[in-house]
Every structure is written in C-alpha cells, then in structure tokens.
C-alpha cells in the first residue's frame, strides 16, 4: 500500500521546539511571553501518563512561583504521603543521597518542592504555553531538518501528512535519544550504563511484605512509597537486554522479589518504566541555529529527582536569550552564554548521580563507604555542602559583577513601593529584568533609565539591598558593586536606548501589580 503525503505551505516561525514534555513546553512559554512566534512539535497527542518524576525540586518550584504557576498545583496531603513529624505536623522530607535520607537542607533553599507527578506538571504547562500564545502541534513528529545558516527548515509528519516549517532557531527538547542532537552531529560524552532501574505504579496483594522507604539489600536497592502504589528497584547486573520492550507486571514482580528477598505479588501494573545509569552531556548546547535543552542535552539516573528541575532551568535560561537575539537587543555572546552557564550545571548533576550509583552498590566495600559517608553527613558543613549540591545551589553562574551572591538564583523578598504589597517573584512574572533600587536619591534607577523597555525599575527605600535580576531569576548585580551596574546592564540587556519614560511607569495600568514592566508582546524581528 502506498501512503501519499503532501506539502503544506511553509510556516515562518521564530523558534521551533521539538518535544512537548515539561522542558519543551516551559521553553515555548518562556519565549512566547516576549511575543516570539513559537511552535512546539510533539509526537504524543496528549500529556504522557508514564511514571517519571514525582516532584519538582525547590529550584524548579521557584521558577514556577516567578511565573505564577504555583497555585495550579493542588496542595498534597503530606501526612498521608510522609507521615507526621514533630508535634504531629506533616513531615516534609528534605532529600536523600544514594538512598541515605540524611540531608538537612541547604542555606538559601527556602522554596519547598512541588509534590506533583510529571503528568500533572505537563498538564499545567500545556495550559500555560497555550495561554502565552505558542502553537502546540500534538501528534506531529520531526522527520529531519536542515540548518541553512540563517534559519532552519524542518520536515514534520502529522495526521495531515508532511509539512515543511521554517524557523529562525530550532531547539531540541526531544529527550535522551534526541533526533535533533544526533542529526546535528553534537557529541554526547559520558559513561555507559551499568545498572537496570525499574519504576512503576502497581497494585500489590495483601499482605504486602514491602517496607516503606529506601532499602539497600544484597541484590540492589528497593523503594516502596511514598505513594502506596509506587515501587522502584535498582539492580547492578548491567543494562537491560531490550530497553524498548514493554514493561510488564511479571518483570516488575520478578525484580521486586529478587531485590527485596520477599514473595511480593504484583496484581496489576498501571504504568512502568525501565532506565539505566547511562550518563552523558552534550559537548555543545548550540550548533549554529540548533540548540538543545533538557534530556536532549544531558542524561543521568533519576536519583534525587534532579533531572526535571535541571531541564526547567535550561528552558528559563534559554527563553529570554532567544528573545533578546531575535528582537535585536542581545549583547554580543549572550546566546552562547546559554552553553557556558548550563553545561557546567549539568556536569555537576552527572557527577553526583555517578557518586550515588557508586554508594548504592551491594558489596562490603560499598557498605564501609556508606557508613563513612553517613558519619561525614553528621558534620554541619559537609551536610550543607551536599544539600546545596543536590538543590543546585553550589555552582553560581559567572557574572560581570564579582560581588558575593551574583550568579545565584535570587531569593524572594517583599516589595512595599507599589500600590499594593507584592513580592520580587511577582515582578518577574512579566517579561524582562527587574532592578530594585533601595537608594533614597534613585541613583541606580537613573543609571538604568536607558534600558526601561527591558528592565523594570522599582524604587523601594524600605527594602534591603539594591539588586539587578535577570529574567530567569538570576541575581546579576548587587549594590555591593558600586561601579558595576552599567556593565551588568550592558552584559545582560544590550545597548541602552534613549530614555523614553520614567523608570517604573512603563507598561500596564497604574493599578496593575505588573505596572512598569516591558510590554508583553514586543514585535519580533530576525537577527
């Protein structure tokens, strides 16, 4: 039988995102809020229900707060999930390293995680990206593309046949086996798999012999909970023979029995996945007009739940830089800073997940190492260091301002100067950067007046320090650097324009909590 395809008229797009998982959706929303024409191509017709991440980490939760998305998630019953802590209050776990629940939290990690399965995250982001004006083509798949030097021409196959899409930039957010990465010829450096992990939502016959929590046995690791249907096993017998074979209830039961040493019986499998410790990072996050984000740029085992937040941070970092490039206000090298900032962040996660695999191995030598590690974690400095590493707070971005704190993700704080009480994170819900000027004479606002279309200035002498915050929530400058504001503005927001309005009064009605922000739909123009 011959299948006929047809070519539809070309569509002109600013950013074509391949992959409509959480990272691709969030990236599309980030770029769309600047008025870019963004299209997402996603193979699945609806958000995936396959079990993956069970929570969004604190840094990802910060990003969602800065975009007004926290209220989209239902408050979980923490007592039902994790039991009660001191005084009968619901326990809120901090985190683990290699299944050792010893982390006490990192200084600065003030935003709690969002306890929501990845399916729920995708549903929220699916709605969010549509509200931002992006076009989402579900049931469509990338067949190939050509980087022409001044754009990308992509072939996309969907229910109506084959389409040709042209875009200024193409971003691969299409997972660990990314077609975009492979066709671009970008090297994927790293280490081969040594383990097989299985995760599922299952029904277990009574009596259930599995104990809640993480348990290291003579055959690997077994995890039960906190969802009473969730199980996970890790076996150190090499990668699976067929990674793509469907995961069955029999396979899950066999692995559970082998690792736990019990006669557990799985009566039903709702969803299951199979994974390894294949650990790799793209040598280049950008190749011409093609960029990578999320698992397309880095893969690692899921220990610590770091992958989803890592990808969301990729998206936040890249979205505004694409907008600046396409709209003509990017400083030289801004788009390339996406690679220089995000690849080291991924490399740090890859390193700690390799270390976790090493600490899980079921042999006497590893047992001795785990005991020593647990002793070290009793030391406050060591615990704070590992906690910061797992929270992604250990590696600030390089900044033009070298003052302490620059390059980290900014802490939220109250703002008193507007017509109603608000917060710094609320100011970041509109596109552009934010300058908080706490001086009485407004000297920093005067310095930033030439960037009023890209940076909102808010004067609040009652606040603490003066800060410049990038659109992705990264602290770019503080008033400890008395001479560097102009340099930081040029570095992250390009060349100044002639002042056209008083800072803090551009855009939005006076009674709007977002008054003074850059226009929500600036005109897109090709570089």
């Amino acid at each position: 039988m011959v299948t006929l395809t047809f070519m539809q008229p070309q569509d002109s797009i600013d950013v074509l995102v391949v992959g409509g998982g959480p990272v691709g959706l969030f990236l599309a929303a980030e770029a769309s809020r600047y008025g870019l024409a963004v299209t997402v191509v996603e193979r699945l017709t609806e958000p995936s229900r396959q079990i993956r991440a069970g929570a969004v980490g604190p840094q990802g939760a910060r990003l969602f707060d800065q975009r007004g998305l926290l209220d989209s998630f239902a408050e979980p019953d923490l007592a039902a999930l994790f039991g009660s802590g001191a005084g009968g209050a619901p326990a809120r776990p901090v985190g683990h390293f290699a299944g050792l629940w010893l982390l006490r939290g990192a200084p600065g990690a003030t935003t709690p995680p969002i306890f929501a399965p990845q399916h729920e995250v995708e549903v929220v982001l699916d709605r969010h990206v549509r509200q931002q004006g992006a076009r989402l083509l579900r049931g469509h798949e990338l067949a190939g593309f050509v980087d022409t030097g001044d754009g990308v021409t992509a072939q996309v196959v969907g229910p109506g046949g084959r389409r040709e899409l042209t875009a200024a930039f193409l971003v691969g957010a299409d997972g660990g086996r990314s077609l975009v990465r492979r066709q671009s010829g970008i090297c994927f450096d790293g280490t081969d798999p040594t383990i097989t992990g299985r995760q599922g939502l299952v029904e277990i016959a009574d009596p259930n012999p599995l104990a809640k929590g993480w348990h290291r046995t003579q055959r690997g690791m077994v995890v039960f909970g906190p969802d009473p249907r969730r199980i996970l096993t890790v076996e150190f017998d090499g990668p699976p023979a067929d990674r793509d074979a469907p995961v069955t209830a029999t396979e899950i039961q066999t692995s559970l029995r082998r690792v736990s040493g019990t006669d557990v019986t799985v009566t039903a499998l709702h969803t299951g996945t199979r994974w390894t410790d294949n650990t790799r990072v793209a040598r280049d996050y950008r190749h011409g007009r093609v960029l990578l984000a999320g698992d397309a740029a880095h893969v690692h085992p899921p220990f610590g739940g770091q992958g989803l937040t890592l990808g969301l941070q990729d998206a936040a970092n890249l979205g505004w830089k694409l907008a600046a490039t396409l709209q003509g206000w990017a400083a030289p090298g801004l788009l390339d800073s996406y690679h220089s900032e995000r690849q080291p962040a991924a490399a740090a996660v890859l390193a700690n997940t390799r270390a976790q695999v090493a600490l899980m191995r079921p042999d006497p030598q590893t047992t001795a190492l785990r005991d020593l590690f647990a002793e070290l974690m009793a030391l406050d400095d060591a615990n704070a260091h590992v906690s910061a590493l797992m929270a992604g707070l250990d590696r600030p971005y390089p900044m033009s301002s070298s003052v302490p704190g620059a390059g980290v993700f900014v802490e939220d704080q109250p703002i008193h100067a507007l017509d109603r009480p608000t917060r710094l994170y609320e100011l970041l819900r509109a596109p552009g950067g934010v300058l908080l000027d706490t001086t009485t004479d407004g000297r920093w606002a005067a310095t930033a007046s030439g960037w009023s279309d890209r940076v909102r200035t808010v004067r609040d002498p009652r606040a603490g320090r003066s800060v410049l915050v990038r659109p992705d929530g990264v602290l770019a400058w503080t008033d400890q650097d008395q001479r560097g504001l102009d340099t930081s503005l040029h570095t992250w927001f390009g060349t100044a324009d002639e002042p056209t309005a008083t800072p803090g009064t551009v855009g939005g009605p006076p009674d709007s909590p977002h008054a003074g922000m850059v226009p929500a739909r600036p005109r897109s123009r090709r570089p």
Side-chain angles (χ1 to χ4, degrees):
M1 185 176 72
V2 177
T3 301
L4 299 177
T5 61
F6 62 94
M7 299 293 291
Q8 295 184 354
Q10 290 189 354
D11 294 296
S12 184
I13 300 164
D14 289 323
V15 181
L16 177 61
V17 179
V18 180
V23 175
L25 293 174
F26 193 53
L27 171 61
E30 289 293 283
S32 294
R33 70 198 199 106
Y34 286 87
L36 300 186
V38 182
T39 294
V40 181
V41 174
E42 168 53 43
R43 174 178 57 85
L44 299 179
T45 57
E46 61 182 20
S48 173
R49 292 187 175 275
Q50 191 175 48
I51 183 171
R52 294 190 184 276
V56 179
Q59 294 290 66
R62 280 183 173 183
L63 288 174
F64 283 0
D65 191 3
Q66 292 165 13
R67 300 301 178 257
L69 294 174
L70 284 187
D71 290 342
S72 301
F73 297 94
E75 183 67 27
D77 186 346
L78 296 180
L81 287 175
F82 304 108
S84 299
R92 186 178 285 274
V94 175
H96 73 89
F97 192 91
L100 293 167
W101 288 82
L102 302 173
L103 303 185
R104 297 195 290 272
T110 56
T111 304
I114 301 170
F115 292 104
Q118 184 162 318
H119 169 72
E120 184 178 343
V121 175
E122 288 193 28
V123 169
V124 168
L125 291 177
D126 183 286
R127 181 170 59 248
H128 176 58
V129 75
R130 295 176 194 271
Q131 291 171 343
Q132 295 300 317
R135 181 174 57 167
L136 180 54
L137 299 179
R138 287 198 172 274
H140 290 71
E141 190 167 7
L142 179 72
F145 64 90
V146 175
D147 184 342
T148 63
D150 59 357
V152 178
T153 301
Q155 302 295 322
V156 175
V157 179
R162 184 177 293 267
R163 308 177 69 172
E164 185 172 276
L165 306 178
T166 62
F169 288 96
L170 183 148
V171 181
D174 50 340
R177 304 182 191 186
S178 169
L179 173 63
V180 174
R181 185 190 65 241
R182 286 185 278 117
Q183 187 168 327
S184 297
I186 297 174
C187 293
F188 208 34
D189 302 318
T191 51
D192 292 333
T194 64
I195 67 174
T196 296
R198 298 174 177 87
Q199 184 175 208
L201 291 178
V202 303
E203 301 294 336
I204 295 176
D206 290 329
N208 183 350
L210 300 178
K212 282 285 190 78
W214 286 64
H215 304 279
R216 179 169 169 266
T217 75
Q218 295 180 348
R219 301 298 298 271
M221 299 287 296
V222 60
V223 182
F224 177 44
D227 185 316
R229 303 170 300 164
R230 177 180 176 267
I231 59 87
L232 181 149
T233 62
V234 182
E235 299 188 69
F236 294 80
D237 54 355
D242 186 355
R243 174 78 183 274
D244 295 323
V247 177
T248 65
T250 298
E251 178 184 349
I252 293 290
Q253 176 178 283
T254 300
S255 182
L256 277 173
R257 289 184 173 185
R258 190 162 49 227
V259 178
S260 70
T262 70
D263 291 329
V264 58
T265 298
V266 174
T267 59
L269 172 65
H270 299 294
T271 176
T273 59
R274 191 189 294 111
W275 42 271
T276 73
D277 60 335
N278 180 40
T279 306
R280 300 182 182 278
V281 64
R283 189 175 299 178
D284 302 292
Y285 277 30
R286 179 188 178 191
H287 187 273
R289 292 284 177 148
V290 178
L291 301 105
L292 303 176
D295 289 353
H298 40 75
V299 295
H300 54 84
F303 303 127
Q306 302 169 85
L308 178 54
T309 294
L310 188 67
L312 293 173
Q313 289 176 320
D314 289 348
N317 189 293
L318 179 56
W320 71 277
K321 294 176 180 178
L322 284 170
T325 301
L326 285 162
Q327 293 172 347
W329 53 271
L334 179 68
L335 190 56
D336 288 330
S337 72
Y338 169 61
H339 167 89
S340 62
E341 291 182 347
R342 293 308 302 158
Q343 197 204 45
V349 171
L350 267 61
N352 82 56
T353 55
R354 287 191 181 106
Q356 290 186 72
V357 170
L359 276 173
M360 291 179 181
R361 298 192 182 282
D363 56 62
Q365 291 82 4
T366 301
T367 299
L369 184 62
R370 285 175 70 88
D371 291 343
L372 176 59
F373 183 83
E375 291 179 16
L376 293 174
M377 290 296 285
L379 304 175
D380 290 342
D381 286 348
N383 199 293
H385 174 76
V386 178
S387 295
L389 180 150
M390 294 299 290
L393 298 173
D394 64 319
R395 189 177 294 271
Y397 293 155
M399 290 283 122
S400 56
S401 176
S402 59
V403 300
V408 304
F409 293 92
V410 70
E411 289 288 326
D412 198 12
Q413 68 178 83
I415 303 295
H416 310 283
L418 301 181
D419 55 355
R420 70 168 181 86
T422 186
R423 300 180 291 128
L424 179 58
Y425 280 10
E426 288 189 49
L427 302 182
L428 290 166
R429 291 178 185 175
V434 173
L435 173 66
L436 176 61
D437 183 354
T438 63
T439 64
T440 56
D441 60 3
R443 70 178 74 104
W444 305 128
T447 300
S449 60
W451 288 269
S452 60
D453 60 334
R454 286 153 274 169
V455 179
R456 179 186 184 181
T457 299
V458 176
R459 292 180 57 188
D460 186 358
R462 287 180 290 175
R465 58 181 178 174
S466 297
V467 296
L468 174 67
V469 184
R470 297 190 331 189
D472 55 351
V474 171
L475 193 62
W477 169 89
T478 79
D479 55 14
Q480 290 177 274
D481 181 358
Q482 290 288 311
R483 299 181 179 179
L485 177 57
D486 185 79
T487 298
S488 293
L489 287 164
H490 276 95
T491 298
W492 303 115
F493 300 99
T495 304
D497 294 330
E498 290 297 323
T500 58
T502 302
T505 63
V506 178
D511 60 347
S512 167
H514 301 320
M517 297 191 178
V518 294
R521 288 288 180 262
R523 180 172 59 86
S524 170
R525 55 186 183 268
R526 301 287 179 111

